[in-house]
Amino acid sequence: MRLVIEPVWSWPVIVVTAVTMIVLVLWTYPSRVEHLPPFSRRLLIFLRCCAAAILILTMLRPSIQVSETDKQILQLNILTDRSRSMSTPDGPGDLSRREYILKILSDNQEQFELLKKDVDVQFIDFDSELSTAKEPENLADGKTTAIGKVIDNIREEAVGERLIGMIMMSDGAQRAGGDDDIDPLSASRRFVEQLRVPIHTLVVGTSEVSTAGIDLAVADLQLDQSVTFEKKTVPVRFQLKLVGAAGKKVRVRLLIEDRNGKRQGESGELVEIPLSSESRPFRDIETNKNSVTIPVELSFVAEQAGEYKIAAEVVPDPGEVKLNNNRLETLITVRKGGLKVAYFDVPRPEQKFLRRLNETAKIQIDTQVILPGKFASQSKIDPDFFKKDKYDVYIIGDVPASVFENSGDDLLRQLALRVHEGAGLLMTGGLHNFGAGGYASTPLALILPVKMSPEDTIPLDQDRPEDHINTPIQMVPTVDGDQRYIMTLAASQNMERWEELPKLGGATRILPKSGAIEILAETKNEMPLLLASETGRGRVLALAVDETWKWHLHGFEAEHQRFWQQMILWLAHKEYESDQPLWARVEPRNFSPLSKVPLEFGAQTDNGVPIPDANFQVEVLTPIGETLKVPPQRFGDHGLADFTETSEPGDYWVTVKGTHDGKTLGLPASTRFVIDSRDIEMDNPAADPGMMTEIAETTSGQVIPPEKFGEFLESLRQGGIPEELKRYRRINLWDGWPPLLIFIGLMSLEWTIRKLRGLV
């Protein structure tokens, strides 16, 4: 309750008016009653002053404001985590996390009873869904923890309610997948922006949960290449996590699927890979630490063409209880034959390291070395390089166009014809290529995606510094390039992998010649480094750099090899090779449970030209034998679909059927992907107090220590009701019958006395 003054005029006017009124009363009135007896004289002056005071009071418009809490609809939500991780017994006295929460609530029952006199306390259990509970029970059976989704659901349901706050009691770890995996901090920001109330958090559980006994696990399985060729060695990398294995020797090994006698939709048995001189399919590891993560690299030889499942496994220990994390699986496609590449370049490091592709994949690079600088005119190129169907891809390094004209044959015209027929062409950075090399005046001018002019040509013994970026650069994918096959170095966090690569010494300045050219890579300040286009049946790339060999020297050999292999495969139309009209693929090949899996598919003519208006039917056969239809969406000249029913671990088989103009497009295309045998809720049950702190800070809430929960409830009861949930009642002291009656009474009494004394 407080006194409120709201003057009818501004304060200076009120003060002047009041003083004037009092002065006039005291100056003029006493002389008129000075002949009366003292008592009557003083009484009349007093009554006149009181009447003036009533008028002044009315000008000030005083009132008494009384605040009252709107107790009928106030609500406090208390969310208690009931997911399976809450069964972890790391609370005081070996209580489980759920039991500890119930004990905290029980110990503070008196405070709850007092609080309930002011607000409606709602208990809500949660995992990935909400469940209102009159009293929380000792049950922790929720499949996954989806804190972000839960906060969003509370926000949507609380619209129109007078929520004064929310208390979340949990271990704070988000363990969800697919559509349930909503960022808790983003959800918290939406919550406070819409409802303007805090989320208070109480954390139970420890962030350092040690597994009872021994636990051996495989994580982060990676293949350098999901597509390889027969008889080639394939490296496989993964992380080996050992807990409680000090002093033990464990074996890690690779397994490969035996598909003999298996049909579409049937998975083969995983068998051991025999040791050979070209592979290392197993390894024994011993550690003296109780908890350690060890990077492991094994390898195998792809013997036969086809699509196979590959598994990395740590052989279970006899005393191990938890076995579902001992193995991770993925898929690899092995193709017959290989690619032939013709490579023209001057002697330089890039040439040396590029030729190593002959050792790591079924790619045969035939190199023609060109003399550098002014001696280039003495080089002779064999015309056989440009015979039809002899090479799948052509690479031109720092070679001027004039070199291809020395033989007397129009080699560049033949090369342009090969590209239109379906061969790929790549030109790399250098001093005398693109416009500086005179290619603007050759048949390649219509093919290369780079903006060039005949005036750009320079003599062989000269250089033009302004044509180059002469400072160290970081090559990274563009937004579009990050989604393309060529620029994929890692199945997840691809951009981060690119940013780990060493900087390059510079690049040739190139610009796309039209808006139809794709920019796949650039510098940090958005200068183009890799341009892509298609012409006829062929594909063309312009790569502005020539020092990718530096990646190889700084320990990124696999990334160097993968980038070049993917460029060559893309140029040769073999990133998803198929002789059939329909094709289908899934990248990456293995996913965590509840993940959203992207399916990609399309149709092509006999000449490999995409059919953009084909119609598709997509089905997925799950590990439990259920066939699910997936609605396709058109994206450019092919189709996309998202598959979300991925709760069961195992193999998922994708089948794509297509029609065009009412006719069936050949045989159905098929592929598959693997959902890891992982329990995302219990594989790592460690608490995440940092997340709970960030949620509280984001919403201006408090992190409540369990031992001070009662004190928090008391403070909430004493002063925690937000101002906007209070209503105010005002009692006016000037506007009503009492002031008017007092004023009339004073004036009437004065008039009566004056009448009796003969003054009226």
Side-chain angles (χ1 to χ4, degrees):
M1 182 173 65
R2 66 191 183 98
L3 179 65
V4 178
I5 303 294
E6 295 179 343
V8 67
W9 301 308
S10 64
W11 275 107
V13 175
I14 291 293
V15 171
V16 170
T17 303
V19 171
T20 301
M21 189 181 300
I22 296 297
V23 168
L24 286 174
V25 170
L26 296 178
W27 181 31
T28 62
Y29 197 64
S31 62
R32 299 173 59 187
V33 295
E34 61 181 2
H35 61 284
L36 296 178
F39 176 78
S40 297
R41 183 172 67 251
R42 294 186 184 118
L43 179 60
L44 287 174
I45 295 173
F46 173 76
L47 292 175
R48 181 60 63 92
C49 289
C50 287
I54 291 295
L55 293 177
I56 293 172
L57 184 68
T58 304
M59 288 189 293
L60 294 176
R61 297 195 296 186
S63 61
I64 295 176
Q65 183 172 282
V66 180
S67 65
E68 297 176 339
T69 304
D70 190 353
K71 300 179 180 180
Q72 295 182 351
I73 55 175
L74 298 185
Q75 183 172 313
L76 173 69
N77 288 343
I78 299 181
L79 273 65
T80 57
D81 192 343
R82 59 169 292 174
S83 58
R84 287 176 297 139
S85 62
M86 298 299 289
S87 62
T88 306
D90 57 356
D94 292 331
L95 291 175
S96 72
R97 297 172 184 175
R98 180 71 178 180
E99 290 171 338
Y100 188 30
I101 285 178
L102 297 183
K103 183 178 184 302
I104 293 171
L105 297 178
S106 176
D107 291 346
N108 294 279
Q109 190 62 39
E110 287 188 20
Q111 290 293 343
F112 276 117
E113 294 302 323
L114 294 173
L115 188 61
K116 287 179 181 179
K117 295 179 180 179
D118 295 328
V119 298
D120 179 18
V121 178
Q122 290 283 337
F123 290 100
I124 303 174
D125 289 336
F126 75 92
D127 40 42
S128 60
E129 302 292 341
L130 298 170
S131 176
T132 302
K134 186 174 181 180
E135 293 291 341
E137 298 180 0
N138 186 14
L139 194 62
D141 59 355
K143 192 169 184 179
T144 58
T145 309
I147 293 175
K149 179 185 177 184
V150 164
I151 293 175
D152 267 350
N153 288 346
I154 290 287
R155 173 178 57 82
E156 293 168 1
E157 293 179 5
V159 174
E161 295 182 356
R162 303 296 293 275
L163 189 67
I164 65 168
M166 184 163 74
I167 301 174
M168 176 173 286
M169 309 176 77
S170 169
D171 58 21
Q174 169 93 347
R175 303 181 186 92
D179 293 337
D180 289 348
D181 192 11
I182 298 172
D183 178 36
L185 296 183
S186 297
S188 298
R189 283 189 285 270
R190 290 190 292 270
F191 182 92
V192 73
E193 287 171 3
Q194 179 173 327
L195 301 182
R196 306 290 182 184
V197 295
I199 300 176
H200 309 289
T201 58
L202 186 149
V203 189
V204 293
T206 175
S207 57
E208 298 180 359
V209 177
S210 59
T211 304
I214 184 171
D215 184 45
L216 316 178
V218 172
D220 301 328
L221 175 63
Q222 292 184 352
L223 298 178
D224 284 347
Q225 204 55 29
S226 61
V227 178
T228 189
F229 297 93
E230 291 178 308
K231 310 300 180 184
K232 288 301 171 183
T233 301
V234 179
V236 181
R237 299 179 178 86
F238 55 92
Q239 300 288 327
L240 176 64
K241 297 183 177 182
L242 305 177
V243 177
K248 290 181 176 288
K249 181 181 290 186
V250 299
R251 169 161 291 195
V252 289
R253 61 184 181 181
L254 297 179
L255 305 174
I256 191 168
E257 184 181 28
D258 180 6
R259 292 207 55 77
N260 290 326
K262 298 298 180 182
R263 297 176 297 176
Q264 170 76 13
E266 295 180 346
S267 301
E269 181 184 359
L270 290 169
V271 298
E272 291 191 54
I273 301 173
L275 182 66
S276 70
S277 60
E278 299 178 346
S279 66
R280 188 182 186 182
F282 61 84
R283 176 182 165 190
D284 292 327
I285 295 175
E286 187 173 1
T287 179
N288 57 3
K289 297 181 179 179
N290 192 56
S291 179
V292 65
T293 299
I294 303 171
V296 179
E297 179 176 332
L298 301 177
S299 60
F300 71 99
V301 175
E303 296 288 352
Q304 295 181 329
E307 185 178 72
Y308 298 94
K309 191 190 308 183
I310 297 294
E313 180 185 67
V314 53
V315 177
D317 184 89
E320 193 174 3
V321 176
K322 184 179 177 182
L323 301 178
N324 68 334
N325 59 356
N326 286 60
R327 176 190 295 180
L328 271 182
E329 302 171 352
T330 189
L331 296 162
I332 187 169
T333 300
V334 182
R335 293 181 175 146
K336 291 183 178 181
L339 300 173
K340 295 199 68 177
V341 180
Y343 180 29
F344 310 93
D345 205 352
V346 297
R348 54 180 180 168
E350 194 77 293
Q351 182 187 123
K352 172 186 175 181
F353 288 92
L354 184 53
R355 283 202 300 266
R356 293 195 177 187
L357 288 173
N358 289 335
E359 305 169 6
T360 58
K362 192 71 173 185
I363 295 176
Q364 178 61 47
I365 297 181
D366 294 336
T367 304
Q368 169 113 24
V369 179
I370 308 299
L371 297 176
K374 61 183 180 180
F375 301 105
S377 59
Q378 302 176 22
S379 302
K380 299 293 183 182
I381 295 179
D382 188 349
D384 285 348
F385 275 106
F386 304 97
K387 286 184 178 180
K388 186 175 182 179
D389 296 329
K390 185 166 185 180
Y391 288 96
D392 300 287
V393 175
Y394 292 86
I395 300 176
I396 299 176
D398 194 7
V399 180
S402 59
V403 173
F404 293 92
E405 301 168 355
N406 293 338
S407 64
D409 296 319
D410 198 349
L411 300 183
L412 291 181
R413 188 170 298 279
Q414 293 184 46
L415 175 56
L417 182 59
R418 300 290 85 82
V419 174
H420 280 289
E421 291 171 347
L425 172 63
L426 166 64
M427 183 172 287
T428 69
L431 301 178
H432 296 94
N433 45 21
F434 300 116
Y439 286 94
S441 302
T442 72
L444 295 191
L446 298 176
I447 295 176
L448 289 169
V450 178
K451 185 177 181 180
M452 300 181 297
S453 170
E455 289 75 23
D456 296 336
T457 307
I458 61 174
L460 298 181
D461 58 349
Q462 294 183 16
D463 180 21
R464 191 160 50 209
E466 60 267 26
D467 287 349
H468 308 283
I469 304 171
N470 296 311
T471 57
I473 58 170
Q474 184 76 51
M475 183 175 177
V476 294
T478 60
V479 174
D480 292 334
D482 191 40
Q483 308 299 318
R484 296 296 299 272
Y485 170 77
I486 292 175
M487 300 301 295
T488 302
L489 293 184
S492 61
Q493 298 182 325
N494 184 54
M495 182 65 76
E496 287 79 358
R497 182 63 60 84
W498 275 98
E499 291 178 345
E500 292 174 0
L501 299 180
K503 289 185 176 181
L504 306 178
T508 302
R509 294 184 186 273
I510 59 174
L511 292 173
K513 66 181 179 182
S514 72
I517 304 301
E518 285 190 276
I519 304 176
L520 302 183
E522 61 189 7
T523 64
K524 285 284 190 176
N525 56 352
E526 300 183 353
M527 301 185 71
L529 294 180
L530 180 60
L531 308 180
S533 66
E534 300 194 31
T535 176
R537 294 175 56 195
R539 291 173 170 177
V540 183
L541 291 173
L543 179 65
V545 299
D546 61 356
E547 293 185 346
T548 60
W549 53 271
K550 290 186 175 180
W551 302 342
H552 199 291
L553 290 184
H554 286 80
F556 293 90
E557 176 182 354
E559 286 76 8
H560 176 270
Q561 297 288 288
R562 179 167 187 167
F563 174 61
W564 278 96
Q565 287 180 41
Q566 289 175 172
M567 281 200 298
I568 292 172
L569 287 171
W570 183 83
L571 287 167
H573 294 269
K574 293 184 182 295
E575 76 272 26
Y576 37 77
E577 188 178 62
S578 174
D579 296 329
Q580 300 297 323
L582 292 173
W583 58 267
R585 70 171 178 175
V586 180
E587 287 290 344
R589 309 304 301 274
N590 61 303
F591 299 84
S592 299
L594 302 177
S595 294
K596 180 185 292 185
V597 178
L599 313 179
E600 192 171 3
F601 42 86
Q604 58 190 9
T605 65
D606 294 339
N607 296 326
V609 178
I611 305 175
D613 56 345
N615 297 311
F616 302 102
Q617 292 180 338
V618 185
E619 295 180 343
V620 177
L621 178 64
T622 70
I624 59 175
E626 184 180 8
T627 300
L628 303 176
K629 295 185 181 296
V630 184
Q633 296 180 346
R634 198 176 304 279
F635 182 80
D637 58 7
H638 61 285
L640 295 175
D642 288 329
F643 184 73
T644 58
E645 302 295 325
T646 56
S647 58
E648 292 293 331
D651 293 0
Y652 289 71
W653 298 82
V654 182
T655 301
V656 178
K657 300 176 182 178
T659 59
H660 184 243
D661 293 336
K663 297 180 180 179
T664 301
L665 290 170
L667 297 174
S670 64
T671 187
R672 61 173 161 161
F673 60 90
V674 177
I675 298 299
D676 300 332
S677 179
R678 287 290 188 264
D679 187 337
I680 60 177
E681 180 68 23
M682 297 302 295
D683 270 356
N684 180 20
D688 188 355
M691 175 62 73
M692 295 288 271
T693 299
E694 290 188 77
I695 290 173
E697 291 177 349
T698 299
T699 61
S700 300
Q702 298 182 37
V703 179
I704 312 166
E707 64 276 9
K708 295 186 177 180
F709 186 63
E711 296 178 16
F712 173 79
L713 293 180
E714 175 63 19
S715 66
L716 187 65
R717 186 176 70 85
Q718 294 292 341
I721 308 301
E723 287 294 321
E724 61 267 24
L725 296 183
K726 294 182 178 180
R727 65 186 181 191
Y728 296 93
R729 181 166 56 88
R730 181 170 294 184
I731 304 173
N732 289 326
L733 301 179
W734 63 275
D735 183 16
W737 288 108
L740 179 60
L741 292 177
I742 293 173
F743 182 78
I744 294 173
L746 290 172
M747 297 303 294
S748 299
L749 180 58
E750 181 192 359
W751 184 87
T752 301
I753 295 173
R754 286 167 56 83
K755 179 70 173 175
L756 293 175
R757 292 297 180 179
L759 296 177
V760 178

